[in-house]
């Protein structure tokens, strides 16, 4: 069965970005020239999704405004001769059908996904967590959909993490069935490293069967008194197979200030207009300013990496 619908969760408080997220919603923070959530919508569209369901919350009307038609702005831009920019603004409202659901409480990721039940119906669907951005953009989700067509079951994206990071993620117990593909034997939400069944952590892309909703309805609050999607997946595992795709390439957690900065730098360096000038600027900046090695953000600008910015 073709996957036609995508759920994107945007109901969180954005606590890690306070105080800016007191008034500016995390999903609307800019990554170069687009808000964070637009990357997820475009990723879903690139993978053939026909309806995007955004789970939002009170005070997040800016998300709806962003994807709505703005005749006045389009007209203003056209009068100024900015036809290319006017067309880009028009494209935002035309690229896919979007609907919004708003749960009455914020009780975790599982609760947010459950809010989309009536709109999704009895269909498989894609779940995207907008905090997670992947190198190659939609390549990971596209590969997951191909694996879904092969196995006709739930698919989750996973990546190996360090021992120190294990207690930040849901972790799977895997059994390899193909190159980069595992059958999931068990799932544990944010275990301590010594209790984790592996170092394969669940990242923010899923292809889910509709039975996940029944499992979410019977899932009790877990870590942080929230309804955890991983706990519901553990229930699904008793009746349905779950497969994991170990993707290659980098993944950026734009849900933290440091991860957001990393993603911004990477995306900006790849931008055709901004990239060359930013590369030149960063190269000069690193020649003028010396930081202790331990103060440099891991994976962003190491001393070895400075050579590539020259």
């Amino acid at each position: 069965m073709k996957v036609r619908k995508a759920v994107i969760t945007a109901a969180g408080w954005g606590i890690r970005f306070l105080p800016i997220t007191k008034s500016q919603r995390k999903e609307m923070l800019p990554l170069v020239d687009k808000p964070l959530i637009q990357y997820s919508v475009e990723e879903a569209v690139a993978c053939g999704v026909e309806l995007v369901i955004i789970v939002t919350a009170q005070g997040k009307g800016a998300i709806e405004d962003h994807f709505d038609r703005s005749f006045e702005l389009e007209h203003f831009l056209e009068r100024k001769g900015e036809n290319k920019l006017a067309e880009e603004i028009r494209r935002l409202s035309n690229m896919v059908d979007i609907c919004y659901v708003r749960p009455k409480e914020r009780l975790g990721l599982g609760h947010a996904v459950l809010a989309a039940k009536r709109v999704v119906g009895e269909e498989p669907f894609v779940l995207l967590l907008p905090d997670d951005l992947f190198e190659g953009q939609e390549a990971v989700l596209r590969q997951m959909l191909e694996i879904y067509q092969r196995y006709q079951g739930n698919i989750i994206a996973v990546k190996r993490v360090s021992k120190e990071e294990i207690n930040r993620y849901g972790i799977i117990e895997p059994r390899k069935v193909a190159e980069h593909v595992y059958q999931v034997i068990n799932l544990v939400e944010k275990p301590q490293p010594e209790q984790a069944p592996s170092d394969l952590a669940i990242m923010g892309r899923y292809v889910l069967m509709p039975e996940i909703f029944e499992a979410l309805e019977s899932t009790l609050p877990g870590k942080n008194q929230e309804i955890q999607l991983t706990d519901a997946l553990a229930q699904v595992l008793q009746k349905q197979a779950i497969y994991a795709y170990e993707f290659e390439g980098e993944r950026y957690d734009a849900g933290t200030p440091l991860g957001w900065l990393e993603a911004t730098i990477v995306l900006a360096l790849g931008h055709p207009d901004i990239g060359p000038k930013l590369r030149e600027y960063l190269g000069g900046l690193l020649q003028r300013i010396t930081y202790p090695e331990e103060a440099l953000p891991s994976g962003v600008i190491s001393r070895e990496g400075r050579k590539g910015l020259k």
Side-chain angles (χ1 to χ4, degrees):
M1 185 177 184
K2 183 180 185 297
V3 178
R4 303 185 306 116
K5 299 176 181 179
V7 174
I8 300 176
T9 53
W13 289 102
I15 290 174
R16 289 178 290 186
F17 276 93
L18 285 170
I20 183 61
T21 45
K22 181 176 182 289
S23 58
Q24 174 65 44
R25 301 312 170 195
K26 179 185 68 174
E27 296 81 13
M28 293 302 294
L29 293 176
L31 279 175
V32 190
D33 56 353
K34 295 187 285 190
L36 174 59
I37 196 167
Q38 185 175 332
Y39 289 89
S40 292
V41 173
E42 290 177 339
E43 181 181 337
V45 172
C47 292
V49 164
E50 300 169 9
L51 175 65
V52 171
I53 305 149
I54 299 180
V55 183
T56 184
Q58 185 178 16
K60 299 206 176 192
I63 296 174
E64 298 182 33
D65 292 342
H66 180 70
F67 293 106
D68 201 359
R69 190 78 186 268
S70 179
F71 294 100
E72 185 177 3
L73 177 57
E74 292 169 23
H75 180 62
F76 172 76
L77 291 170
E78 288 169 345
R79 284 180 57 194
K80 288 189 64 179
E82 298 282 359
N83 294 322
K84 185 177 180 181
L85 191 53
E87 182 57 37
E88 172 62 19
I89 295 301
R90 190 176 295 114
R91 183 187 72 86
L92 283 173
S93 59
N94 292 334
M95 62 180 170
V96 71
D97 290 332
I98 301 178
C99 69
Y100 302 86
V101 296
R102 195 161 86 174
K104 294 179 175 60
E105 298 179 87
R106 306 187 202 200
L107 300 177
L109 174 59
H111 187 257
V113 174
L114 183 58
K117 176 183 177 180
R118 291 191 179 185
V119 184
V120 172
E122 297 296 321
E123 297 185 40
F125 65 100
V126 168
L127 171 64
L128 303 94
L129 309 191
D131 287 357
D132 285 358
L133 294 164
F134 297 87
E135 185 179 11
Q137 298 174 327
E138 72 272 7
V140 171
L141 184 57
R142 196 183 297 277
Q143 184 62 43
M144 292 174 67
L145 287 167
E146 291 180 8
I147 295 169
Y148 161 77
Q149 292 296 337
R150 191 188 317 162
Y151 292 101
Q152 293 293 305
N154 304 277
I155 315 293
I156 57 179
V158 296
K159 185 175 179 62
R160 296 191 185 277
V161 297
S162 67
K163 183 177 180 180
E164 293 73 25
E165 295 178 294
I166 281 176
N167 63 1
R168 293 170 44 197
Y169 298 97
I171 304 294
I172 70 164
E173 179 182 346
R175 182 174 68 83
K176 189 171 183 177
V177 294
E179 190 69 22
H180 299 296
V181 181
Y182 304 88
Q183 185 171 356
V184 176
I185 306 303
N186 191 19
L187 311 96
V188 183
E189 176 66 16
K190 298 178 181 178
Q192 292 304 309
E194 59 275 10
Q195 299 172 328
S198 75
D199 60 353
L200 285 168
I202 303 171
M203 301 298 170
R205 295 296 181 273
Y206 306 75
V207 181
L208 298 174
M209 306 299 285
E211 285 76 10
I212 188 64
F213 294 120
E214 181 181 353
L216 285 167
E217 287 174 329
S218 60
T219 298
L220 298 175
K223 292 275 186 178
N224 302 319
Q225 292 302 301
E226 296 179 339
I227 297 175
Q228 302 291 343
L229 179 61
T230 303
D231 293 340
L233 286 170
Q235 288 192 49
V236 169
L237 195 57
Q238 308 304 313
K239 300 178 181 179
Q240 286 183 340
I242 299 176
Y243 297 90
Y245 169 56
E246 183 184 3
F247 61 89
E248 297 179 312
E250 292 296 324
R251 165 260 186 186
Y252 301 95
D253 181 5
T256 67
L258 177 58
W260 176 81
L261 285 169
E262 291 175 350
T264 299
I265 292 170
V266 169
L267 289 168
L269 286 172
H271 193 283
D273 298 325
I274 299 171
K277 293 181 180 179
L278 178 61
R279 189 177 299 274
E280 180 181 350
Y281 170 76
L282 290 175
L285 180 66
L286 291 170
Q287 293 299 315
R288 298 193 303 271
I289 302 175
T290 301
Y291 293 99
E293 187 73 22
E294 60 272 15
L296 294 172
S298 175
V300 181
I301 307 173
S302 66
R303 289 202 174 108
E304 293 77 8
R306 296 182 189 192
K307 298 177 183 178
L309 296 173
K310 295 179 181 178

